[in-house]
Amino acid sequence: MKIVVYDDEQNILKDTCDLLTKNLRSDDTVEGFTTVDEVKNYVNEYLTDTAFICFHDGKGQGLELVDALREINAKINIIFISDSNLYMHEAFEKRISGFLRRPITGEDIRREMENLRFHIEEFRKSRG
């Protein structure tokens, strides 16, 4: 499984990527990016199953990134990460797979990955 992580804060991005790597299968790939363009380029080039997106990144690009990723891959699973529940309603209006509030635990990640909106096996078959 290929997973992208977007957060404009490098320290938080690294911590999130490390936590994902520790709590996913050893053959899963986790790539982190601090800019929206880097995420879009990666997803455009590689079949990506899931994106963890910092929802409130200080620039308001988290919601816009969802639309851009869905144009590239309509069945990408989106999981928002936020410091508060303040924008949860807006997040779920985007039909995301999940919403995590910091601080994130390994159990939080495993729970979200077990309940993805688009199941990875079905997704892989549809992309042939």
Side-chain angles (χ1 to χ4, degrees), residues 1-6 20 36 39-40 43 48-56 61-82 87-88 90-100 108-109 111-120 123:
M1 175 173 13
K2 287 200 185 313
I3 298 167
V4 294
V5 182
Y6 165 71
L20 282 164
V36 169
V39 176
K40 291 190 285 190
V43 172
T48 305
D49 307 292
T50 304
F52 285 79
I53 299 173
C54 173
F55 179 69
H56 190 67
Q61 296 182 339
L63 282 175
E64 294 172 16
L65 181 56
V66 173
D67 295 332
L69 294 181
R70 291 259 167 80
E71 284 182 27
I72 297 167
N73 174 358
K75 293 200 174 191
I76 191 169
N77 290 293
I78 307 285
I79 299 171
F80 273 131
I81 301 171
S82 182
Y87 299 101
M88 189 182 289
E90 290 88 344
F92 280 104
E93 283 183 337
K94 293 287 187 179
R95 304 292 186 242
I96 61 171
S97 292
F99 188 98
L100 294 173
D108 294 333
I109 290 170
R111 182 180 58 248
E112 291 302 327
M113 296 306 286
E114 290 170 1
N115 292 288
L116 293 172
R117 182 170 185 220
F118 301 108
H119 296 283
I120 302 306
F123 167 75

Side-chain angles (χ1 to χ4, degrees), residues 6-18:
Y6 165 71
D7 198 306
D8 64 339
E9 294 185 39
Q10 184 66 43
N11 295 352
I12 296 173
L13 176 66
K14 182 186 179 319
D15 290 346
T16 303
C17 289
D18 289 348

